[in-house]
Amino acid sequence: MTVVSVYAIFANADEAARIGRQMIEERLAACINILGPCRSIYRWQGAIETADEVPAILKTTAAQADALVARIAALHSYALPCVTVWPIDKLLAGYADWVEGNVG
């Protein structure tokens, strides 16, 4: 199996924690790192918007990535959330084993 990171933006830390915990309970992710708030500037429905949001990184396997992305999107408060999969080029073999053992 291959370990990947899933980067997602949430409306706030509570949403990130709620969805992240559920992803771990459902064994779609091994862990979530909830990062500090960020300021996002983006175009939405023709207008430039600004929002304070919370990014997070979840670790999972490539085999579970599509299911994790779909599940986050289903639970998310945004109509079109940012959820992306990032490949991991190198990592400790023991960490990869831990992720793989906690997903699926």
Side-chain angles (χ1 to χ4, degrees):
M1 279 191 221
T2 303
V3 176
V4 297
S5 291
V6 174
Y7 174 80
I9 295 289
F10 296 95
N12 55 55
D14 289 341
E15 180 178 57
R18 178 181 53 79
I19 292 175
R21 179 174 294 280
Q22 189 166 345
M23 297 307 90
I24 294 164
E25 288 172 355
E26 294 179 15
R27 299 183 68 88
L28 291 174
C31 70
I32 182 171
N33 301 117
I34 300 170
L35 308 175
C38 70
R39 173 68 51 100
S40 297
I41 302 169
Y42 54 93
R43 185 176 305 277
W44 181 249
Q45 298 179 341
I48 294 178
E49 304 285 343
T50 301
D52 291 327
E53 299 177 300
V54 175
I57 302 171
L58 299 97
K59 269 66 87 193
T60 192
T61 60
Q64 288 286 7
D66 288 343
L68 176 59
V69 168
R71 190 71 173 120
I72 291 170
L75 297 170
H76 208 286
S77 64
Y78 292 174
L80 187 60
C82 169
V83 187
T84 63
V85 178
W86 294 349
I88 296 175
D89 186 40
K90 293 182 181 12
L91 73 161
L92 292 171
Y95 186 78
D97 292 342
W98 176 80
V99 170
E100 292 170 356
N102 284 284
V103 172

